[in-house]
């Protein structure tokens, strides 16, 4: 019986495929954005509320836009995989930051753990969105508050590490400034939310303002992940997928 043929050098090389990873943060940011737009548009079409500009008018919260009917299914169908993509992004961020010159600090090592927490709370929020009852309402609020908090911390860690890396090209240094600006904007939104009842005249105005800041916060998350995707693409962050031939 003849021994198995050894693969040629060209075949062995063909079995190694460098995979660009920048699509992961792109999907992690784009899927929630698309899910929200689809849910909002479908809810308007089904008559749950009239068309408006939620970024400016604060006419409806993201949760209300995705709470009913087909909108709820569309929203959850995209949001839940997005949570998994976001965890992969935070998991791989540690390796990417080391690849651009950051030492493995304590904060960088904790990225995967915090990322898993953020993804778990986003899944908790998405799973119970559209359900009724005080307990489920508490679970949704609990999920979204901790998701926002964990993600804000993760963004700050990554942005600071990118700033310290001193990437050579000017556009990458500008990208680091953009990431830090986005991180600083999120707590400012939270602060003005707290102060809003002291300035606005009635409960309806306060509610509208809180709805607007929720949409702005979601948009900031999207811009952050898309900016991170551009940094991963520009720095050539990739992984090799290998297949061994016996």
């Amino acid at each position: 019986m003849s021994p198995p043929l050894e693969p040629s050098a060209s075949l062995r090389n063909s079995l190694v495929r460098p995979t660009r990873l920048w699509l992961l943060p792109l999907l992690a940011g784009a899927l929630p954005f698309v899910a929200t737009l689809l849910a909002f548009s479908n809810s308007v079409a089904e008559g749950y509320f009239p068309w408006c500009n939620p970024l400016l008018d604060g006419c409806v919260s993201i949760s209300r836009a995705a709470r009913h009917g087909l909108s709820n299914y569309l929203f959850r169908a995209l949001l839940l995989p997005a949570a998994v993509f976001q965890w992969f992004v935070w998991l791989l961020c540690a390796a990417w930051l080391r690849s651009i010159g950051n030492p493995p600090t304590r904060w960088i090592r904790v990225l995967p753990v915090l990322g898993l927490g953020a993804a778990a709370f986003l899944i908790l929020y998405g799973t119970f969105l559209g359900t009724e009852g005080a307990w489920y309402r508490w679970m949704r609020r609990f999920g979204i508050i901790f998701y926002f908090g964990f993600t804000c911390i993760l963004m700050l860690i990554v942005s600071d590490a990118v700033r310290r890396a001193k990437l050579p090209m000017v556009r990458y240094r500008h990208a680091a400034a953009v990431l830090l600006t986005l991180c600083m904007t999120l707590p400012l939104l939270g602060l003005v939310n707290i102060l809003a009842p002291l300035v606005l005249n009635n409960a309806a105005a306060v509610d509208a303002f809180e709805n607007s800041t929720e949409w702005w916060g979601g948009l900031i998350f999207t811009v952050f992940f898309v900016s991170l995707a551009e940094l991963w693409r520009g720095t050539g962050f990739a992984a090799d997928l290998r297949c061994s031939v016996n």
Side-chain angles (χ1 to χ4, degrees), residues 139-177:
M139 293 287 280
R140 291 195 301 271
R141 182 174 293 274
F142 182 79
I144 200 62
I145 288 174
F146 277 89
Y147 166 71
F148 267 73
F150 278 10
T151 303
C152 187
I153 295 170
L154 287 158
M155 289 168 57
L156 186 60
I157 294 171
V158 172
S159 300
D160 183 62
V162 172
R163 180 184 63 84
R164 293 173 183 273
K166 301 188 186 321
L167 293 171
M169 296 182 67
V170 173
R171 67 189 177 104
Y172 295 151
R173 292 199 293 271
H174 289 169

Side-chain angles (χ1 to χ4, degrees), residues 3-244:
L5 295 175
E6 289 292 327
S8 65
S10 61
L11 178 58
R12 287 196 300 271
N13 290 337
S14 69
L15 297 176
V16 180
R17 288 282 184 265
T19 303
R20 298 282 180 171
L21 297 172
W22 61 270
L23 281 175
L24 278 175
L26 182 64
L27 288 172
L31 283 180
F33 180 74
V34 173
T36 304
L37 286 183
L38 287 176
F40 177 81
S41 301
N42 186 75
S43 292
V44 170
E46 292 184 351
Y48 288 107
F49 48 82
W51 188 91
C52 59
N53 186 339
L55 287 168
L56 300 178
D57 303 332
C59 48
V60 62
S61 66
I62 294 175
S63 296
R64 185 186 168 202
R67 188 173 297 158
H68 303 289
L70 178 61
S71 296
N72 183 255
Y73 294 110
L74 291 171
F75 186 77
R76 289 197 291 179
L78 294 177
L79 187 71
L80 296 180
V84 177
F85 285 131
Q86 289 187 14
W87 179 63
F88 278 124
V89 169
W90 301 126
L91 179 67
L92 293 170
C93 254
W96 173 66
L97 290 171
R98 289 195 297 271
S99 75
I100 61 173
N102 281 278
T105 63
R106 179 185 62 183
W107 286 111
I108 290 178
R109 286 195 294 267
V110 84
L111 283 174
V113 178
L114 290 177
L116 180 60
F121 283 114
L122 183 58
I123 290 171
L124 179 69
Y125 165 75
T127 300
F128 290 102
L129 184 63
T131 55
E132 299 297 334
W135 169 252
Y136 298 124
R137 187 164 52 251
W138 183 84
M139 293 287 280
R140 291 195 301 271
R141 182 174 293 274
F142 182 79
I144 200 62
I145 288 174
F146 277 89
Y147 166 71
F148 267 73
F150 278 10
T151 303
C152 187
I153 295 170
L154 287 158
M155 289 168 57
L156 186 60
I157 294 171
V158 172
S159 300
D160 183 62
V162 172
R163 180 184 63 84
R164 293 173 183 273
K166 301 188 186 321
L167 293 171
M169 296 182 67
V170 173
R171 67 189 177 104
Y172 295 151
R173 292 199 293 271
H174 289 169
V178 169
L179 297 184
L180 282 171
T181 302
L182 293 173
C183 292
M184 293 170 62
T185 305
L186 280 172
L188 285 176
L189 285 177
L191 179 62
V192 295
N193 246 334
I194 294 172
L195 298 176
L198 303 177
V199 178
L200 300 176
N201 297 325
N202 54 68
V206 172
D207 186 58
F209 186 80
E210 289 176 349
N211 289 342
S212 291
T213 55
E214 181 182 322
W215 284 83
W216 281 108
L219 184 59
I220 288 172
F221 282 2
T222 295
V223 174
F224 183 91
F225 280 110
V226 172
S227 300
L228 196 60
E230 173 58 21
L231 280 172
W232 284 23
R233 188 192 66 81
T235 54
F237 187 48
D240 289 341
L241 296 181
R242 298 175 181 269
C243 178
S244 61

